[in-house]
Every structure is written in C-alpha cells, then in structure tokens.
Amino acid sequence: MMIALAAVGFRNGDITYNKEKIKTVIRDHGYMQADLVLFGETFLQGFDSLSWNYDSDKSIAVKMNDPIIDEIRKTAKEYSVAVSFGYIEKTEGSLFSSQLTVDKDGEILDNFRRVSVGWKEPVADLQYKEGDGFHTFLFEDKNFAVGLCGDLWDDVYVEQMKELNADIVLWPVYTDFNYEEWNKTIKYEYAEQSVHFGHDVCLVNSVCLDREGSEIAKGGAAYFQDGRIKCQTPAGEESILYVPVSSNAKGIEP
C-alpha cells in the first residue's frame, strides 16, 4: 500500500482554494499511484480560520454532507484513491476539529474528532467541542487509527491509542515551529514520541501560504517506524512524501 503524505499549502479561510488544492493533489497522485492521500489538520478551512465567535465561525464550518465534501468525494472516486483531510466540522450547535477519511469509491470511511483541547483558544465557548475517543477503521486490510496533533502528546490519550494496537496511525498536525529547528531537532522528538503509541506512524504538517514569518507552519512529513524516521521530506516548502507502508520504506535515516 502506498500512502502519499501531502505537506502542501492552504490559505486560512479560503475554502475554495483549499478544496481545489485537495482535488489537484488527488488528480496528480491518484489512479494507481497512491492508495491514500493524507492532508494535515483542519486543511479545508486553514488552522487559523476561526474567530472563536460561534455565530461567525459556524458559517465557515461544514457538515459531513456539505456539497464541498461531496465534491471531494466525487474526485476521490473518479481517481480511485482514498483521501483523508482535516476540517472544521459543524453539527447541530457544535463545532469540532475533525479528520474525514473517504475511500476509493468516494464513500465516507471514517470521521475522527480531535480529543485534546489544544486546537482552540481559551475564549472558545462550550459550542467548540472535542470527540469522545479513538477508534480504528479498516482500509486495504489494515487497521488504521487517527490522532490529531496534540492528541498524541497527552499521556492518557497516548495510552488509549496504544491499546488500540492499530496497524497504521495517521498523525495529521498543524505545527508552527521554526522550520529549521524542525529539520534539525524537533522531528526527532516526534519520532521518539511515536514509539509510545504506534509501530507505523504517518505524520504530515501543512504549509500556511497566507502568512509570513519563521514560526509559521512550513510543512514537512515523516514516516516513523518503531520510533525511527524511515523516510521524510523536510519542512520549508510544499512536498509530497510517498510511503510504502506494507514494506520497509527506504529513506533518510536519523
């Protein structure tokens, strides 16, 4: 199985641009190239798209049956590739940071809601909610599980993920470390953390295109196996990392 880790760029609040980016990556890397394309946390709207005013934010959030989601599902089916992307999910009266996974037939395979509170500002009210735990789903005869960013730095949640014993853990993140520090040191800390909850772990970060500065998300992707970096693309620019998870990945060793 081939997983493409899409460390590509979004624009905060520009759902049309971000949706088209997802569709473009699907077209470019689907159809017998990748089996699954993985995007970062809240990619569809952009991580900093929320104002923490519910009346305003509910207009940028989308439901699972939104036409925007349907459009992505249709593209996944057309190019016969599964896709997993982060989005701000809207339900009746609540907002979540969620990760939606769609299979090769365009059917919704899984919807995971972030369980840790780090995605939201302290001013957020009770309408900004977290999910109720981890779970697994089956894809290509392997058990997958999803943890979003800070979920897998909390000791309690790490233990819960470990107990699932998933074949593959998908770890979409939004991190705004200085990209040079990420490349030199921080990625190894993430690799060491991964051994506590998974054997095969796929991490992907996005690139923030509409902001400048050294401490803005600048991408980067890695495949961790037993706490070691098996292959990676560095932070600093957009990239796609192909990960052959069913065999030993050949890449840059730590």
Side-chain angles (χ1 to χ4, degrees):
M1 183 197 316
M2 191 69 72
I3 299 178
L5 306 183
V8 295
F10 64 66
R11 295 176 181 170
N12 283 297
D14 193 341
I15 294 182
T16 299
Y17 177 89
N18 301 336
K19 175 200 66 178
E20 290 302 320
K21 177 62 75 73
I22 292 172
K23 291 170 60 181
T24 296
V25 174
I26 289 173
R27 286 193 293 265
D28 290 347
H29 298 275
Y31 193 65
M32 300 183 71
Q33 297 181 77
D35 295 290
L36 169 66
V37 180
L38 177 67
F39 292 85
E41 182 179 17
T42 61
F43 188 90
L44 184 60
Q45 288 96 344
F47 187 81
D48 289 323
S49 60
L50 298 177
S51 66
W52 311 111
N53 178 303
Y54 176 75
D55 288 336
S56 173
D57 289 341
K58 67 182 181 181
S59 66
I60 195 171
V62 298
K63 296 181 178 181
M64 275 195 292
N65 62 353
D66 191 277
I68 292 172
I69 301 291
D70 290 343
E71 196 173 332
I72 296 171
R73 292 173 59 187
K74 181 180 178 180
T75 306
K77 181 178 181 180
E78 181 180 357
Y79 289 89
S80 189
V81 60
V83 60
S84 182
F85 59 92
Y87 73 116
I88 302 300
E89 179 192 2
K90 175 169 58 180
T91 63
E92 196 63 41
S94 301
L95 302 181
F96 298 87
S97 175
S98 301
Q99 186 81 12
L100 188 70
T101 303
V102 174
D103 69 15
K104 293 180 178 181
D105 294 319
E107 298 299 321
I108 293 176
L109 189 60
D110 184 66
N111 189 61
F112 171 77
R113 293 168 175 168
R114 179 169 170 162
V115 295
S116 60
V117 300
W119 68 283
K120 61 190 183 183
E121 297 292 337
V123 297
D125 62 27
L126 295 178
Q127 290 165 306
Y128 298 81
K129 297 181 179 180
E130 286 70 55
D132 55 9
F134 300 111
H135 55 264
T136 61
F137 61 92
L138 189 66
F139 175 67
E140 301 282 297
D141 297 322
K142 288 186 178 291
N143 283 312
F144 282 73
V146 175
L148 283 171
C149 206
D151 288 346
L152 298 176
W153 284 98
D154 181 288
D155 290 344
V156 173
Y157 296 139
V158 164
E159 187 60 29
Q160 291 177 6
M161 178 65 81
K162 181 180 179 181
E163 290 176 358
L164 289 180
N165 195 29
D167 296 317
I168 300 169
V169 177
L170 302 180
W171 196 4
V173 302
Y174 177 88
T175 63
D176 53 8
F177 301 112
N178 178 287
Y179 74 91
E180 293 178 337
E181 293 180 7
W182 170 268
N183 292 334
K184 291 177 181 177
T185 60
I186 298 172
K187 66 184 179 184
Y188 300 114
E189 297 172 12
Y190 275 70
E192 292 169 3
Q193 179 67 10
S194 71
V195 78
H196 298 298
F197 57 79
H199 172 70
D200 291 278
V201 179
C202 294
L203 177 143
V204 65
N205 189 28
S206 303
V207 177
C208 180
L209 296 176
D210 58 303
R211 296 189 179 180
E212 299 294 333
S214 60
E215 296 186 353
I216 296 296
K218 295 291 185 180
Y223 170 44
F224 305 136
Q225 190 174 71
D226 295 327
R228 302 191 68 205
I229 299 173
K230 297 299 294 181
C231 57
Q232 64 172 309
T233 54
E237 60 183 7
E238 294 182 89
S239 65
I240 305 284
L241 176 64
Y242 272 73
V243 176
V245 296
S246 58
S247 60
N248 291 328
K250 297 178 180 180
I252 301 171
E253 295 287 342

